[in-house]
Amino acid sequence: MFSFLEMTVSLLWKPFHRIANGRLMQQRTMSLYNQTHGFREDEIKAKLQQFTGGSVDLSKEDDGIGILTLNNPRFMNAFTGTMMIELQERVAELESWKNGKGLIVHGAENTFCSGSDLNAVRTLSRPQDGVNMCMFMQNILTRLMRLPLITVALIQGKALGGGAELTTACDFRLMTSESEMRFVHKHMGLVPGWGGAARLVQILGSSPALRLLSGAEKVDAERALCLGLIEAVLPSSEERRPLQEARTWLNLYTKGPPEVIQSVKKVVSAGRELQLETALRIEKEIFGTVWGGPANLHALAQRTKHK
């Protein structure tokens, strides 16, 4: 009898799942800025290509956990122009990862990221170039934030300027005991331009965010934990162990089938970004993709109990 129910619901579920997922995918990958905003992506990418060095590496593990590594340790993993373009490519790859459940973002050789490559900053000094780079990175980090994966920034060493902004595009942040975050933009005569200020206000509220930005204060792991900026302080500060500790922490929230974990992330993203009525409609659509789906039917067949 239950196998007949599985077969019937599956026939109804699959086409709705394809339609709803296609619509949600389009919403997630939609850019904040396009030509109507004066944004010329091809132009800024051509300029960014001039500033080479480093890489943004991605490994996708069989357990559905991805590892995104900022790899430019000679300059504290600062973003060169080509690294910004590679980040866009890696995010696009993650958007289509059907079996993905979680992502850890970290830096090579025991430091996180010191922001932008100063060579690019000095050369792209015209206001319009700066605004174009701002729009380019805001588009990418917004897509990172909207990934249907549970994302964690693993902060070892220093996360400065744009590096600190990058951490706010992740769902969670973890720090080692000797690491620090610092929004140093004021000292550069700037404000955050990659969306870090807006996201920091969402995470902390306006008053704590204003203190961190206007004071350009160093935030160590203990203070970050007290502020609610991070979830936990990892016990080890060695180069490789914190990555395993971060995986163990993330595994608490990625147990289960990919389609369920991704759906959880999608409803939270909708609730965070959209007005209530729109968020409720999105939640209804996502609910329809999992109701009667394989994980739901399996749980019913197993008579899953909650203890």
Side-chain angles (χ1 to χ4, degrees), residues 220-275:
D220 61 19
E222 184 178 351
R223 185 180 177 201
L225 188 62
C226 290
L227 285 171
L229 185 54
I230 65 172
E231 300 300 312
V233 180
L234 299 178
S236 178
S237 59
E238 297 175 16
E239 183 178 345
R240 295 186 180 181
R241 269 179 100 181
L243 184 57
Q244 185 54 51
E245 290 167 356
R247 289 188 66 132
T248 300
W249 186 93
L250 183 56
N251 284 338
L252 296 172
Y253 305 99
T254 55
K255 291 178 181 176
E259 65 270 18
V260 175
I261 303 303
Q262 291 187 19
S263 295
V264 170
K265 174 63 185 288
K266 291 171 191 173
V267 295
V268 170
S269 294
R272 175 183 58 212
E273 294 190 51
L274 304 174
Q275 292 183 341

Side-chain angles (χ1 to χ4, degrees), residues 72-245:
N72 190 17
R74 183 181 170 194
F75 298 103
M76 293 177 59
N77 298 323
F79 272 97
T80 62
T82 53
M83 286 175 66
M84 292 179 186
I85 294 169
E86 286 186 19
L87 180 63
Q88 182 187 53
E89 294 167 353
R90 302 296 172 263
V91 169
E93 186 177 347
L94 288 163
E95 284 169 339
S96 60
W97 188 18
K98 293 182 179 179
N99 295 321
K101 298 191 288 185
L103 177 71
I104 298 172
V105 180
H106 79 128
E109 295 191 16
N110 211 28
T111 195
F112 188 74
C113 176
S114 59
S116 302
D117 174 13
L118 292 181
N119 290 324
V121 172
R122 292 188 188 99
T123 304
L124 301 176
S125 58
R126 290 192 315 122
Q128 190 55 51
D129 286 335
V131 170
N132 275 327
M133 185 169 66
C134 164
M135 290 190 282
F136 183 71
M137 289 301 290
Q138 280 192 15
N139 277 346
I140 297 170
L141 295 188
T142 300
R143 288 170 64 181
L144 173 64
M145 183 179 69
R146 290 173 175 168
L147 282 175
L149 309 171
I150 298 177
T151 58
V152 175
L154 168 58
I155 304 162
Q156 299 168 264
K158 297 180 186 295
L160 306 176
E165 290 192 70
L166 173 59
T167 71
T168 67
C170 295
D171 299 314
F172 302 110
R173 285 150 295 282
L174 303 172
M175 293 178 74
T176 57
S177 58
E178 298 175 358
S179 60
E180 69 176 57
M181 296 179 64
R182 192 177 185 188
F183 294 86
V184 296
H185 306 77
K186 184 184 79 167
H187 292 325
M188 300 295 294
L190 296 170
V191 297
W194 296 358
R199 292 189 298 268
L200 190 64
V201 170
Q202 288 184 333
I203 294 165
L204 298 182
S206 59
S207 293
L210 183 58
R211 287 200 301 271
L212 294 189
L213 295 178
S214 63
E217 301 170 350
K218 293 181 182 180
V219 182
D220 61 19
E222 184 178 351
R223 185 180 177 201
L225 188 62
C226 290
L227 285 171
L229 185 54
I230 65 172
E231 300 300 312
V233 180
L234 299 178
S236 178
S237 59
E238 297 175 16
E239 183 178 345
R240 295 186 180 181
R241 269 179 100 181
L243 184 57
Q244 185 54 51
E245 290 167 356

